[in-house]
Amino acid sequence: MGLVYATATVVPSKQELLEAWLPSRPWAGGVTAVEKVGEYRFDDPEGEVGVETIVWRTPDGSLLQVPFTYRGAPLAGAEAHLVGTSEHSVLGTRWVYDGCADPVWASTLATVILTGGHQAQMVFERDGQTVDVPPRLPVRGSGSAGTPVPIIETVDSVRDDGLVTTVVAGTVTLQLARVVGTPLDGAATLTGSVHDQDLGVLAALDV
């Protein structure tokens, strides 16, 4: 379960960070402006790292998929994958990374895919009560409950192959469709939808 700080401010915003970072990404095709479509989050078992993947619409109608991780301190060895830093009015300075380089993202994604899991339930507090936030982009892994999940402690490599990013983390290979709809290889998958639109396979995994 993830807590939404409904009244918090974040400076610069996620969209501002993204738009400054996109021109350096080979899969973005020079895009410099986007519109948020929806997002899904996964729970870090340690409760330390925020894990969120956002889908953005570009001016030509394409959908870009960008995972972010939010940390309270820099991730050692991941300087090349830092999107930027933001000041959160509740949590303080947050280091924002391309999730593909973060072992917490890789571990949570692998867990959801292999165990048939789904996005984290988001909540906010109102008048002392916890209120559920309906998911805007529900996702589901293709596996089944109880399936063993390899331990992921490091990301060994991150490679952009056209419109797909391939991540090797220990015995696990993950593929992420940077442009939604790009075909992926993998025995197990993550699928999703937004506003009743089927987005198909968003990520794939091989062990």
Side-chain angles (χ1 to χ4, degrees), residues 32 58 74 85 88 97 105 144 153 168 186 192 194 196 199 201 206-207:
T32 57
T58 68
T85 58
H88 191 288
Y97 289 93
W105 171 83
S144 57
E153 296 180 334
V168 177
V194 62
D196 296 325
L199 299 180
V201 176
D206 275 316
V207 178

Side-chain angles (χ1 to χ4, degrees), residues 37-39 55 57 63 136-138 192-199:
V37 174
E39 71 289 314
V55 171
R57 181 178 287 107
L63 299 180
R136 296 202 297 172
L137 204 167
S193 61
V194 62
H195 306 314
D196 296 325
Q197 175 188 357
D198 182 11
L199 299 180

Side-chain angles (χ1 to χ4, degrees), residues 14-15 18-19 33-41 52-58 63-64 68 70 136-137 194-195:
K14 298 171 188 178
Q15 183 163 342
L18 177 75
E19 290 177 339
V34 292
E35 174 191 7
K36 186 176 180 178
V37 174
E39 71 289 314
Y40 57 93
R41 282 183 172 255
E52 178 181 43
T53 298
I54 304 176
V55 171
W56 309 85
R57 181 178 287 107
T58 68
L63 299 180
L64 300 183
F68 286 148
Y70 311 107
R136 296 202 297 172
L137 204 167
V194 62
H195 306 314

